[in-house]
Amino acid sequence: MIASPDGRADDLVATLRSAGCVFAEDEAELLRATAASAAELDRMVAERVSGVPLEHVLGWVEFCGMRVAVERGVFVPRKRTELLVAEALRRVPHPGIAVELCCGAGAVALALAAAAGEVHAVDVEPAAVACARRNLASAGPRHHAYLGDLYSGLPGALRGRVDLLVANAPYVPTDAIAFMPPEAREHEPAIALDGGADGLEVHRRIAAEAPHWLAPAGVLLIETSDRQADGTAAAAQHAGLRTEVVRDDEATVVAAFR
């Protein structure tokens, strides 16, 4: 941690606040705690002021009480996705097989690693897979990340054996991406945000193939929005799955059952 005179600390907070950082005091503390030198702190502050997401500047994000590595160009896990994790932990058997589709940094997979017998994560973005592998390496040799488009990246031996499928797949309608905060639009891959015309294109693809991969009592969990929940549930029902919708103040998850 870089120790700063009070004046320097005040200047840092003022700099961040003038750049539009709503939680400038908290961000200043995190930046100072992470930087190994004054020069590194200056570099990190310059990046943050230029609009780089705080998590990318720090190289990590706190998620479900864990520090998850997040590389540049990789989708940043959101706090709202903790509902998806809570539902997954409530339903995954131990030992069991869990799969995270569209894994990004592998935050959900990492959160499940202690509960499931083995966890498999997959993403179409090479940078995301490299990040997920780095995170899952700390959880032990039974957990793996693969490069591929949804199920095509998974080992064929998992077909019909997956106890829990989880996905925080992109669900932002294409036309709505232009209205997202610049931190997301400019620093996260479009493929991690763009869910097609109605935001549900990837959800339909996931649901359609899920019955072929789920074990007889397997469960599919998909994060969605409150407005899109009926559409996500309809996609799962079309694939022959029973559904229920789980909500809290920040997030919505559709659970689908064989």
Side-chain angles (χ1 to χ4, degrees), residues 64 80-93 108 111-112 115 163-166 219-223 244-248 251-257:
C64 291
R80 63 174 175 264
T81 301
E82 292 185 358
L83 175 63
L84 180 67
V85 172
E87 286 300 305
L89 290 173
R90 188 166 71 87
R91 300 172 190 276
V92 65
V108 174
L112 294 177
D163 299 297
L164 183 69
L165 274 171
V166 296
V219 181
L220 167 66
L221 299 174
I222 303 180
E223 178 179 310
E244 68 178 61
V245 179
V246 182
R247 296 178 171 90
D248 67 10
T252 302
V253 171
V254 168
F257 313 90

Side-chain angles (χ1 to χ4, degrees), residues 33-188:
T34 302
S37 67
E40 184 177 16
L41 178 61
D42 289 341
R43 176 187 61 76
M44 294 171 74
V45 171
E47 290 179 340
R48 182 66 184 114
V49 168
S50 74
V52 177
L54 176 66
E55 297 82 2
H56 287 162
V57 175
L58 298 174
W60 56 270
V61 61
E62 183 176 336
F63 181 79
C64 291
M66 308 175 298
R67 183 174 287 196
V68 179
V70 182
E71 305 289 349
R72 303 297 176 98
V74 175
F75 180 82
V76 176
R78 272 57 161 177
K79 183 173 177 57
R80 63 174 175 264
T81 301
E82 292 185 358
L83 175 63
L84 180 67
V85 172
E87 286 300 305
L89 290 173
R90 188 166 71 87
R91 300 172 190 276
V92 65
H94 183 78
I97 297 175
V99 167
E100 183 186 8
L101 302 172
C102 306
C103 70
V108 174
L110 183 60
L112 294 177
E118 57 185 272
V119 177
H120 302 267
V122 62
D123 200 284
V124 73
E125 278 285 316
V129 175
C131 194
R133 286 172 177 164
R134 175 182 169 191
N135 284 315
L136 288 174
S138 65
R142 298 171 302 161
H143 313 302
H144 308 278
Y146 311 94
L147 178 65
D149 183 14
L150 299 181
Y151 302 100
S152 68
L154 295 173
L158 292 176
R159 290 178 68 93
R161 299 178 53 232
V162 178
D163 299 297
L164 183 69
L165 274 171
V166 296
N168 178 20
Y171 55 89
V172 180
T174 302
D175 290 345
I177 291 177
F179 302 100
M180 294 186 71
E183 289 185 359
R185 286 189 285 107
E186 298 175 7
H187 296 278
E188 294 180 320

